[in-house]
Every structure is written in C-alpha cells, then in structure tokens.
Amino acid sequence: ALDNSRGLELRDVAARALEQMAVEMHFQGAGQMFVNSAYRSYEYQEGLFVDKVAQYGEAEALVRSAKAGHSEHQTGLAVDVSVPAQGCAIMQCFGDTVAGKWISEHSWKFGYIVRYERDTTSVTGYTYEPWHLRYVGLEIAKMYAENGIQTLEEFWGFPAAESYSEIAESTID
C-alpha cells in the first residue's frame, strides 16, 4: 500500500502512522501512496533551495521551498506523497485527485495534517501544497480537524509565519 522504494526516512512514530494511513487509503480504493520526500538534512535542504532560486528566482523560491534550517522536513515529521497512477505528483492539482481528496479528509485520523492548505499562504508563508503532510500526533490532529483549523499557526495561536526579508508583500497575499 505504501511505496517507499527509495528508502526515505521519517521518525518512527511518523513512519508507522504513514504506513497505517497508506494501508487504509489503499483498502478504500483511493490508490497506492508513494513517498516523494521525507527527512532532509540541512545540507540537502540548502542545495534544494539553491536549485529553486535558480529555477524561479529568490522571491518565488521563498514561497515554494524553505531555506535550510527552516524546513519541516528536517524534523523527520514531514513527508511529501503522491499517487503516481493519478498524476499530479508534487503539483497543486494533487489536491483534486481521488488520493488528494482522501488524504485531505482522512489524514487527521492517522495523526497527519495537510500542512499548507489552499489560501493560507499569508499565514504559513508557503503556497498550497496538498502533498505535504506533517505528523502532529493523533490528539492534536483530531482537535485540528474537529475545529476546522487550517494552519498550525492558527492552532497554536501564533502570528503568521516568519517572513524572510527577501519576500515582497505581493508574493505572500
């Protein structure tokens, strides 16, 4: 049910929950989950950000990728998933696939949230990423879902995410 053929790593608690979610998702006919990205070292994230800057320019890279030291992937609690058979891997249209909709509706039952939801960029600092899941644990995920929360910043009562000084106001609205 879970294709982690590249052997990407997560913290044990997050990995077990992801496996359980993938089994249930597959059982319910929503597809076979593929792990696109999981734990990233500081060095890996640093290189990834440099690549995004080269591809998009710095202002756009800042809403698409975290600078090293700011990525949730460094915690071992964040994972990027897809269902290759449904297309839209690591693209916003993943949220419109059967798998993306299933994950949005059910991930909290396994302790995960979709971290960067649609129309929350001004709060999270990042564009909509329906493939980016963050493990927060069963209790928090349940409270998050039951209260219609869309961001961890809102859940914890924190102000909008840190903005890098390089981000122009027009890129975070």
Side-chain angles (χ1 to χ4, degrees):
L2 179 65
D3 181 350
N4 187 15
S5 53
R6 295 171 38 209
L8 301 175
E9 298 179 343
L10 288 170
R11 290 182 184 238
D12 289 341
V13 66
R16 283 191 302 273
L18 187 68
E19 289 169 353
Q20 292 169 354
M21 180 170 38
V23 166
E24 187 62 23
M25 189 173 106
H26 191 261
F27 176 76
Q28 290 188 21
Q32 181 185 21
M33 188 183 291
F34 179 80
V35 179
N36 292 87
S37 184
Y39 169 75
R40 297 178 188 164
S41 68
Y42 182 93
E43 294 77 18
Y44 180 89
Q45 189 65 31
E46 193 170 41
L48 183 63
F49 185 75
V50 166
D51 291 346
K52 294 290 184 193
V53 169
Q55 184 177 4
Y56 299 107
E58 190 167 28
E60 187 66 20
L62 286 165
V63 295
R64 292 175 177 266
S65 182
K67 286 183 173 182
H70 297 266
S71 173
E72 291 191 339
H73 286 282
Q74 276 181 239
T75 67
L77 299 172
V79 61
D80 293 342
V81 299
S82 66
V83 175
Q86 296 176 20
C88 293
I90 312 301
M91 297 180 351
Q92 291 182 346
C93 58
F94 178 69
D96 298 322
T97 66
V98 170
K101 290 175 183 176
W102 190 94
I103 287 168
S104 178
E105 185 177 333
H106 299 282
S107 63
W108 68 270
K109 298 173 187 173
F110 303 90
Y112 276 94
I113 60 168
V114 175
R115 177 64 171 104
Y116 305 116
E117 293 195 36
R118 195 180 311 271
D119 301 323
T120 62
T121 303
S122 63
V123 176
T124 65
Y126 295 99
T127 58
Y128 173 52
E129 294 187 359
W131 64 85
H132 181 93
L133 308 180
R134 167 71 185 266
Y135 183 79
V136 295
L138 291 170
E139 186 177 336
I140 290 174
K142 182 179 180 186
M143 289 187 294
Y144 195 93
E146 287 176 345
N147 291 294
I149 305 293
Q150 289 191 290
T151 69
L152 281 179
E153 292 80 5
E154 178 186 6
F155 180 83
W156 291 113
F158 293 154
E162 169 187 345
S163 292
Y164 301 120
S165 59
E166 299 93 332
I167 298 178
E169 284 299 315
S170 63
T171 64
I172 60 171
D173 56 11

